[in-house]
Amino acid sequence: AAAALRADLRNLETWLALHMPKEAQSWLLGKLAPLQQMLNVLFMNKSQLRRPEIRQELCSQLTAAQLAQLLASYEPQKGEDPIPLA
């Protein structure tokens, strides 16, 4: 489901680039940034989130509560360690 949402988001970004004025594109892409960052978190190696500089670089639009909720609802795949939230 996350992969499909990611593809749909890319399609939306492409459509915006082709059909919207630059000012509207910038505003709309800014509104979509937290969603894009959430999707990036779902696809990344979750253990990297232990490093504050990685969180700042990749999740700057997400609050700590949003990131904690996302990670709490994530079920590790086979071979992955759960991410401690404390």
Side-chain angles (χ1 to χ4, degrees):
L5 182 57
R6 187 181 224 185
D8 289 342
L9 189 58
R10 284 191 185 132
N11 289 336
L12 177 58
E13 290 170 346
T14 301
W15 185 89
L16 289 172
L18 294 172
H19 300 285
M20 297 295 288
K22 293 284 184 197
E23 299 79 26
Q25 284 180 42
S26 178
W27 182 82
L28 287 167
L29 291 174
K31 296 296 182 187
L32 293 173
L35 179 59
Q36 182 64 48
Q37 289 182 7
M38 283 189 238
L39 288 169
N40 290 341
V41 168
L42 291 176
F43 283 96
M44 71 183 292
N45 178 341
K46 310 303 178 287
S47 64
Q48 292 178 344
L49 292 171
R50 292 184 176 119
R51 297 176 43 205
E53 64 275 10
I54 296 293
R55 288 193 308 271
Q56 178 58 36
E57 180 182 335
L58 300 178
C59 310
S60 62
Q61 300 266 333
L62 302 177
T63 65
Q66 289 170 324
L67 189 55
Q69 178 62 39
L70 182 63
L71 293 174
S73 63
Y74 176 76
E75 293 186 25
Q77 302 297 310
K78 186 176 180 179
E80 284 184 328
D81 293 328
I83 300 298
L85 297 176

